[in-house]
Amino acid sequence: MSKSRKKLDPNQKTFDFTFNEKVDRYVESKKEILNAIESGPPVTQIENEFEACIEISAAIKKVIRTTGMSREQVVDKINDYFGRTIKGSIKEPQTCRKPLSLNMLNNYLSKPTEYPIPAYYLYPIHHITKSLEPAATIVAAQGARIATGIELRQMTLGKLEENIKEMQKLKRDLGKR
């Protein structure tokens, strides 16, 4: 046997000894993200019922403005949504309430502390404006958010991916035994 020294090949790549540190940073980041998800956004306290009325009214005015429709058109569409007619409101048995008037909608939106908008008007407003902003305003006070159908599907896919990763990990652990 010869006693020659073995030389390292200069083209050989060196081992990255910072790999464990990178994994630890990744794990910590993931824990922080998961904790943030669990805690959710901060809850904002509404001072009183008048402030709540003003917030809801402002959200409704905002979405009506974004549609480009006049308030008269919104009133007509709300009445159509509920099927409200004068004949239906005076008929026995009554089939609907009296139609919403432009004057009353203006009161709901301009004087919300005197005339708070009834909650059932959110159904047609969301439908007409294609926006969930008024409902988002309400749930935001509790630190929640509105999720659209697309967002719900994306969340479901995320949960599915987490479950797949967990099953793969279990499979690897069982394979090592």
Side-chain angles (χ1 to χ4, degrees):
M1 262 182 148
S2 71
K3 293 197 173 195
S4 66
R5 288 186 152 185
K6 295 184 181 178
K7 294 184 180 180
L8 294 176
D9 183 4
N11 295 328
Q12 182 177 356
K13 292 192 177 200
T14 59
F15 184 72
D16 182 13
F17 290 103
T18 62
F19 178 74
N20 287 338
E21 294 170 8
K22 290 179 183 176
V23 170
D24 291 340
R25 281 197 307 268
Y26 171 76
V27 169
E28 284 301 316
S29 296
K30 186 174 179 181
K31 285 180 184 177
E32 288 174 16
I33 291 170
L34 291 174
N35 287 337
I37 289 171
E38 288 175 7
S39 65
V43 175
T44 56
Q45 184 67 33
I46 297 293
E47 294 289 323
N48 55 46
E49 64 188 274
F50 300 118
E51 185 180 336
C53 293
I54 293 168
E55 290 289 325
I56 294 167
S57 172
I60 293 170
K61 284 193 277 190
K62 179 181 172 185
V63 297
I64 289 174
R65 238 181 273 119
T66 60
T67 64
M69 286 188 276
S70 67
R71 288 191 181 178
E72 292 89 359
Q73 291 171 315
V74 172
V75 167
D76 291 340
K77 289 185 181 279
I78 289 172
N79 288 329
D80 290 344
Y81 182 88
F82 285 130
R84 289 183 172 182
T85 61
I86 293 174
K87 288 181 182 178
S89 67
I90 58 175
K91 190 188 217 182
E92 284 298 325
Q94 190 177 17
T95 58
C96 63
R97 295 178 187 230
K98 291 192 327 190
L100 177 66
S101 67
L102 176 61
N103 185 40
M104 200 62 214
L105 179 66
N106 286 334
N107 284 338
Y108 289 148
L109 299 180
S110 302
K111 302 174 189 173
T113 56
E114 294 175 44
Y115 300 96
I117 190 162
Y120 60 86
Y121 281 117
L122 291 178
Y123 287 100
I125 289 169
H126 291 153
H127 178 76
I128 293 164
T129 62
K130 309 277 189 269
S131 173
L132 298 175
E133 185 70 29
T137 300
I138 294 168
V139 299
Q142 297 303 313
R145 288 185 43 211
I146 299 289
T148 63
I150 292 170
E151 292 169 333
L152 288 173
R153 287 188 289 280
Q154 289 172 342
M155 285 188 273
T156 303
L157 285 173
K159 288 178 186 178
L160 183 63
E161 283 183 23
E162 283 182 17
N163 290 336
I164 289 171
K165 286 179 184 177
E166 185 67 28
M167 288 187 329
Q168 288 172 341
K169 181 183 174 193
L170 290 171
K171 187 177 177 181
R172 280 193 306 270
D173 290 346
L174 287 173
K176 290 179 183 177
R177 292 182 185 177

